Amino acid sequence: MIALTLAEITQAVKGTLELGNSSQTETAKVASLSQTDSRLVSPGDIFFARRGEDTDGHLFVDQAIERGAALIVAEKPTNDSVAQIIVKDTTVALRMLATEVVQRALQTGDLQIVGVTGSNGKTSTKNLLGAMLERLGETVASEKSFNNEVGGPLTALRVKESTKFLVAEMGASAKGEIAALVRMAPPHIGVVLTVGLAHAGEFGGIDATFAAKSEMVKDLPESAVAVLNREDPRVAQMAEITRARVRWFGLSDKSDVWAKNIVVTDKGTSFTLCIGAESTPVVFPVLGEHHVMNALAAATVATEFGMSIDQIVSVLEATTRPAKWRMEVTRTTGGITLINDAYNASPDSMQAALKTLAQVKHPEGRTVAVLGVMSELGQFSGEQHDRIGLLAVRLRIDELIAVGEEARRLHISTINEGSWSGESVFFETQEEAKKYLLQTLKQNDTVLFKSSNSAGLRFLGDEVKEALA
């Protein structure tokens, strides 16, 4: 973090400073990280005692101090052995401090901010962008999937005077959340990947999702750039509501950056990357055509910062996987291929994963889809689970294994398709599914694990991998 005095931090978050029994003064400077998890605190850090859904950070102030916290930001006085700033809302205070730090970096340095949003692909694209921009200068990118009202500010607070690029993943489950992140870290380049049904239950439908995602580019100034997916009709509409210069990525020469000759195998995805009049083959060691779109989005941003096509390709070909539990491929000694893509799931990402499973099938093996619930779909849940079940039939997936009571409808909609020659089974627990898989999987089978984060099938995938190692 950019060094600020206790007085400056207090002013930024509109709080009240209490020095208590500490030896600190108002002019004492803090330049370490900010944390909302006391277990992650290191000496010199700021601990924000945030009230979450499951617990209250005020209960862990003592632990944070024991781990070396230099400052506590809280909604009520607690341990007075270190300086405390008392605020009305620690989550709001966190964003206010991040806003101050970003503004100082913009004023004193040459910081460039890239914001990334979309119903799918945010984390993968952010990771690719981080790897590309690191070659051009000091880069801060969101850790893991830090993209909400807490993760976004925590990422921004890692910015220093020497930071050249901030890559901010910006997610939302309600209207106005992306707009708040954009105000905190105003992008020079705003990227929109997709508009789908992820979080549709919370947003209230696809139109509301469009409105929320468009917050990324709606208020960009003319000096900024909007990087948009030409293949997604809703994203393409955003060109009409932004003042920013538009750069397109897609699958035809109508875009500024596009891909052709896409071939998906169990080793990864190859394609030809085209940037203007230049083109070159890419061997992208990441599974799935949908990840090509993420690569194109990252490449489009990279060209705005002057990266050559050869530099971009070298990063893409050095990529091992977009992120943990996202198309994570393991080939067991018994000749079974496991694809763990169960970090999260929406109708669009579930469809993409099933299509990839069908594409990479071993000619002498079966395709097995281990699927869990797609959460946060609200009133659209039933029809979307039916649609995925029908897709598994149409793709001729050999066996579907539905896990968890909320995924039962997947199983039912699949077995109702009489023309299907495959098989569907249902298990209430992961332990039952694991036992069945270990008993029935055969050499050359390809197995996909896919579910929303809440269903936890990523852990089932890990357990099956360990058992077959």
Side-chain angles (χ1 to χ4, degrees), residues 132-254:
M132 290 178 185
L133 297 181
E134 278 179 353
R135 299 198 176 191
L136 301 179
E138 185 177 318
T139 300
V140 169
S142 306
E143 296 179 340
K144 302 178 182 178
S145 292
F146 280 14
N147 61 28
N148 61 9
E149 61 180 0
V150 177
L154 288 176
T155 299
L157 284 167
R158 291 166 48 211
V159 166
K160 299 181 291 187
E161 290 91 340
S162 55
T163 303
K164 187 169 183 179
F165 300 103
L166 168 61
V167 184
E169 182 180 339
M170 297 182 177
S173 56
K175 183 179 179 181
E177 291 182 2
I178 292 175
L181 293 171
V182 166
R183 288 192 298 270
M184 177 193 74
H188 297 88
I189 300 179
V191 182
V192 186
L193 301 166
T194 58
V195 174
L197 283 171
H199 306 294
E202 296 178 346
F203 281 120
I206 196 70
D207 291 337
T209 303
F210 168 83
K213 299 302 180 185
S214 66
E215 291 170 9
M216 171 63 75
V217 299
K218 187 175 180 180
D219 294 326
L220 290 181
E222 293 179 359
S223 59
V225 179
V227 172
L228 304 178
N229 179 358
R230 187 179 280 277
E231 307 307 320
D232 186 313
R234 293 185 178 87
V235 176
Q237 288 179 32
M238 295 182 190
E240 302 172 6
I241 62 173
T242 184
R243 293 173 293 160
R245 175 167 56 90
V246 175
R247 293 289 310 281
W248 299 101
F249 64 94
L251 300 177
S252 76
D253 59 7
K254 293 180 180 179

Side-chain angles (χ1 to χ4, degrees), residues 361-398:
K361 177 180 180 179
H362 191 286
E364 297 178 7
R366 302 175 303 152
T367 49
V368 180
V370 185
L371 307 182
V373 66
M374 299 180 290
S375 60
E376 300 180 355
L377 293 178
Q379 63 180 315
F380 308 100
S381 181
E383 64 186 59
Q384 291 304 317
H385 283 87
D386 289 344
R387 187 169 71 87
I388 294 302
L390 181 59
L391 178 64
V393 172
R394 290 176 175 171
L395 291 173
R396 298 188 180 278
I397 302 301
D398 293 302

Side-chain angles (χ1 to χ4, degrees), residues 24 30 32-33 35 37-47 60-72 81-83:
Q24 297 157 292
V30 178
S32 296
L33 297 178
Q35 303 288 359
D37 186 336
S38 63
R39 296 167 296 182
L40 301 179
V41 170
S42 295
D45 285 353
I46 304 172
F47 177 64
F60 302 96
V61 167
D62 290 347
Q63 292 182 21
I65 292 173
E66 288 174 5
R67 294 185 62 86
L71 172 65
I72 304 299
S81 62
V82 300

Side-chain angles (χ1 to χ4, degrees), residues 3 60 99 137 181 264 316 323 328 378 384 447:
F60 302 96
T99 302
L181 293 171
V264 180
L316 294 178
E328 185 176 357
Q384 291 304 317
V447 188

